[in-house]
Amino acid sequence: VMPWRTQVDAIATLFLGGQETGTAFAAVVFGDHGPTGRLPVMLPDTEADTIDPSSDAQVMYSEGMKTSYRNPSFKAAFPFGHGLAYTNFSFSAPSAASCAQGVCVSTTITNTGAA
């Protein structure tokens, strides 16, 4: 929950770090690598878009599979898979054709931004 998110130009987060976490984050901060990741979780819009924690000794998971991005009642500030690339892309018109899986759809994606 980030009520300040509209007051900043960018938010940098790092998930699933390992031995080279510092090196990887520094490469992004200093412009050696583009910030191209995707969120592995949904970040909620407000606290109302979360599951209340419990301090009971036994915790009931009554929400079932309706957690995080699977809950249609929750509003996401940043949805699962969200991420930005600092470039522009163009897409060709999609085409459909029969294939072994039924119907296959393809399109060409071109990076039209600066190299």
Side-chain angles (χ1 to χ4, degrees), residues 21 33 37 40 46 52 54 57-58 74-77 80 84 88 90 102 105 113:
T21 298
H33 190 276
T46 68
D52 292 329
S54 174
Q58 187 174 9
F74 289 169
K75 183 178 178 196
F80 175 82
L84 302 175
N88 295 313
S90 67
V105 178

Side-chain angles (χ1 to χ4, degrees), residues 65-99:
M65 294 298 289
K66 291 185 178 179
T67 61
S68 185
Y69 65 93
R70 294 183 182 121
N71 191 325
S73 300
F74 289 169
K75 183 178 178 196
F78 301 99
F80 175 82
H82 177 80
L84 302 175
Y86 292 99
T87 189
N88 295 313
F89 297 94
S90 67
F91 301 86
S92 69
S95 62
S98 295
C99 62

Side-chain angles (χ1 to χ4, degrees), residues 28-46:
V28 171
V29 170
F30 292 107
D32 298 325
H33 190 276
T36 57
R38 302 286 183 250
L39 282 178
V41 296
M42 182 271 288
L43 298 179
D45 189 41
T46 68

Side-chain angles (χ1 to χ4, degrees), residues 12-17 21-22 24-25:
T13 60
L14 185 65
F15 288 88
L16 309 173
T21 298
F25 201 67

